[in-house]
Amino acid sequence: VALSDYEPTFEAGLGTTSIAAQALDAYDNLTSFSGTVDVDGLDPGEGPEQVSFSLGDATIMPSLFRAGARVLSFSVAGVGAVLEFEVVPSMPDRLELEANGDPELPLTTTAGTAYTLVATLYDFYGNVVPDSGPGYLQGINPDIDAPYDEGDENVAFEDGVAEVEVVLMAAGART
């Protein structure tokens, strides 16, 4: 089985990806094979477990959602092919916060006590979005509270995660 017409990098959830497959003989000639080929390596809901060939040709159309290095294998009667590619996260969809390791916000803290706020950026499919650029910490009053780095409210995301140490100095609710 030979695979063609595909990009080595796919964006998660970006439509359906089309991969052309051909059943070739030992000399790379197209065969007249008609039948099904097993497909392994797709997550549930991403695509078929089998692909039908007709006169040596088939099209595999997976919809890929989970980011990371992926390997698909295709086999029939002990003969097959392997496709290695990368799925990258799609655009940012949501930001999840946790404070001191607790995802259940709101956080109650004592004035003057430091706590760590962690923000993680995800795409629609639950993949962490790396290279998300800078963020901005809002809800901190620089006159009475002390965000990390002596009042600097810019937050640097690294690999989709920003970690900030915050000390709230005045009583009251913050958003």
Side-chain angles (χ1 to χ4, degrees):
V1 176
L3 306 169
S4 61
D5 296 335
Y6 72 92
E7 294 293 324
T9 302
F10 301 107
E11 184 177 319
L14 190 62
T16 300
T17 302
S18 177
I19 302 168
Q22 292 186 317
L24 305 177
D25 66 16
Y27 304 102
D28 289 335
N29 297 307
L30 183 64
T31 68
S32 59
F33 173 75
S34 293
T36 58
V37 172
D38 294 327
V39 179
D40 293 316
L42 293 174
D43 290 341
E46 285 189 330
E49 294 179 6
Q50 292 189 325
V51 173
S52 295
F53 277 76
S54 176
L55 298 176
D57 286 316
T59 301
I60 302 143
M61 302 198 47
S63 294
L64 304 164
F65 304 108
R66 180 177 46 92
R70 304 290 293 276
V71 177
L72 297 183
S73 61
F74 307 86
S75 62
V76 61
V79 177
V82 173
L83 170 65
E84 296 182 27
F85 58 94
E86 181 81 15
V87 177
V88 296
S90 62
M91 60 188 262
D93 179 68
R94 70 182 185 280
L95 183 70
E96 292 186 7
L97 300 174
E98 65 178 52
N100 289 340
D102 185 359
E104 298 298 321
L105 297 175
L107 170 74
T108 301
T109 188
T110 303
T113 303
Y115 69 93
T116 301
L117 181 66
V118 177
T120 306
L121 195 57
Y122 293 93
D123 71 6
F124 181 79
Y125 306 100
N127 300 303
V128 174
V129 179
D131 303 324
S132 46
Y136 190 75
L137 180 64
Q138 293 179 317
I140 299 295
N141 182 338
D143 295 328
I144 58 175
D145 297 326
Y148 85 115
D149 204 10
E150 300 179 17
D152 185 1
E153 296 178 0
N154 290 311
V155 178
F157 280 83
E158 187 173 315
D159 295 327
V161 178
E163 190 171 302
V164 179
E165 185 172 292
V166 178
V167 179
L168 299 178
M169 304 303 287
R174 300 287 190 277
T175 304

